[in-house]
Amino acid sequence: MKRSSGARLCATAAASVLSLALITGCSDASDDTKGSGKDAGGASASAASPTPAAEALTSAELEKLLLAQGEVKGYKVDSGDDTLPKSKSGVKTDKAACDPLAWATAGLAPGDTTANASNSVTEAKTPGTAAPSDPAAGLEDAFDVNLTFVGLSSYEGDGAQKAMKAVSDGVVACAGGFGLAADGEKSKVTKVTAEKGSGLGDESVAFAESVDMDGEGTATFHTEVVRKGSTLASFYTVNFAALASGEPTAIPAAVTQAQIAKLK
C-alpha cells in the first residue's frame, strides 16, 4: 500500500470510529489471522474460580477504579471517548447471543447491570521524523499508536460469572458472524474466533472478530474480557496504521495488567 493511500484510509477510520465495526475507512487489511500476541483457537475462557455472593459497585466507584494518568508508563489516559456508544440501546446486533460481544467491544457492560464506566488508554509515542515533503508519511506515523478502550462493569451475586458465560457462549454461537448497528451505522462481522486470554483475574475470555470493511476486504480486531470478583474489565485495542498495512494489533499487556491490579 502506498503511504498516501494508507494515510487517507487511516484518517477516514479515525474520524468514523464508534466501535470495532465502525472503523470503516481502513481497508486493505488482510483477513489472515496473523496473530495478536496470543495463541488462537481452543477454549477461550480460563477456569472460573468460585466467588462469594457480592454487591455491585456503583458507576462512581468504578470510575475511581479505572486507570488514571501516570499509572501506566508510556501511555496517556483519557477520562472517556466521545466516539463510543453511550448505552446498550445504541448497539444492536441481529443475533441476541452476539450482544455481549458487541457491548464488550464498545466498552459497555456485557452482562445485566447498570454499573458501568469506561475510558481510553493511548500509547504515548514520540512523533516521527518524516520529511516536510512527505506529509502523508507523517500522518501515518501519527496513527501508528495503540489505542485501547477499557470498560468496567460490576454485578450483584453471581451476575459477573453469568456475564462471562454469556460472552464465552457468544463466541461459539456467533462464530459465523453477525450484523451490527452502532448509533445508526451498520456493518458486518464475518467471523468470530476464540483466542487465548491473558489468564488474569479469576477468569478471562478473549476473541477475535473479522469485520467487512465496506466490501474492500476484512480486518481482524481483538477483545478480551477479564473477571475479578464481581467486576468485569473489557479491553479492545486498535492501531489505525496497522489496519492500513494489514499488521496484527495486540492488546497491550501493560494496560491489562495495570487495570486488573486496581480491581478489588
Side-chain angles (χ1 to χ4, degrees):
M1 175 181 289
K2 295 181 180 179
R3 274 189 174 272
S4 58
S5 175
R8 182 175 65 255
L9 292 171
C10 288
T12 303
S16 63
V17 59
L18 292 174
S19 68
L20 77 96
L22 300 183
I23 302 171
T24 57
C26 250
S27 60
D28 287 353
S30 171
D31 192 29
D32 296 334
T33 305
K34 299 181 180 179
S36 63
K38 303 184 287 266
D39 295 329
S44 59
S46 58
S49 300
T51 302
E55 294 184 2
L57 299 174
T58 65
S59 294
E61 290 172 324
L62 290 174
E63 288 282 356
K64 295 178 181 180
L65 291 176
L66 284 167
L67 288 172
Q69 183 61 33
E71 293 183 333
V72 188
K73 185 177 181 180
Y75 291 85
K76 175 185 176 182
V77 178
D78 292 314
S79 59
D81 191 274
D82 293 336
T83 62
L84 291 175
K86 300 303 181 184
S87 69
K88 293 179 180 179
S89 63
V91 181
K92 300 181 182 298
T93 74
D94 58 4
K95 296 180 183 178
C98 306
D99 286 347
L101 307 186
W103 293 334
T105 301
L108 299 169
D112 185 15
T113 183
T114 58
N116 190 81
S118 63
N119 67 358
S120 59
V121 183
T122 308
E123 181 183 11
K125 185 177 180 182
T126 303
T129 57
S133 60
D134 189 9
L139 181 57
E140 284 193 72
D141 287 339
F143 284 124
D144 189 16
V145 296
N146 289 326
L147 168 61
T148 302
F149 298 106
V150 181
L152 299 182
S153 56
S154 188
Y155 303 80
E156 298 282 352
D158 62 351
Q161 290 93 324
K162 290 180 178 178
M164 290 296 292
K165 186 177 186 302
V167 174
S168 182
D169 289 348
V171 173
V172 177
C174 305
F178 57 93
L180 173 65
D183 286 347
E185 297 289 337
K186 295 182 179 180
S187 57
K188 176 68 177 179
V189 176
T190 61
K191 181 173 64 174
V192 177
T193 307
E195 295 194 306
K196 182 179 179 180
S198 64
L200 297 172
D202 298 314
E203 57 179 320
S204 62
V205 177
F207 55 94
E209 292 162 291
S210 297
V211 180
D212 180 10
M213 307 303 274
D214 286 345
E216 297 185 39
T218 59
T220 302
F221 302 90
H222 306 272
T223 302
E224 180 171 11
V225 182
V226 179
R227 179 179 69 84
K228 186 171 182 180
S230 61
T231 300
L232 266 55
S234 64
F235 304 91
Y236 162 62
T237 299
V238 63
N239 181 307
F240 298 110
L243 285 179
S245 65
E247 294 298 317
T249 299
I251 300 172
V255 174
T256 56
Q257 291 170 0
Q259 180 60 82
I260 299 304
K262 286 195 69 174
L263 300 184
K264 298 179 180 179

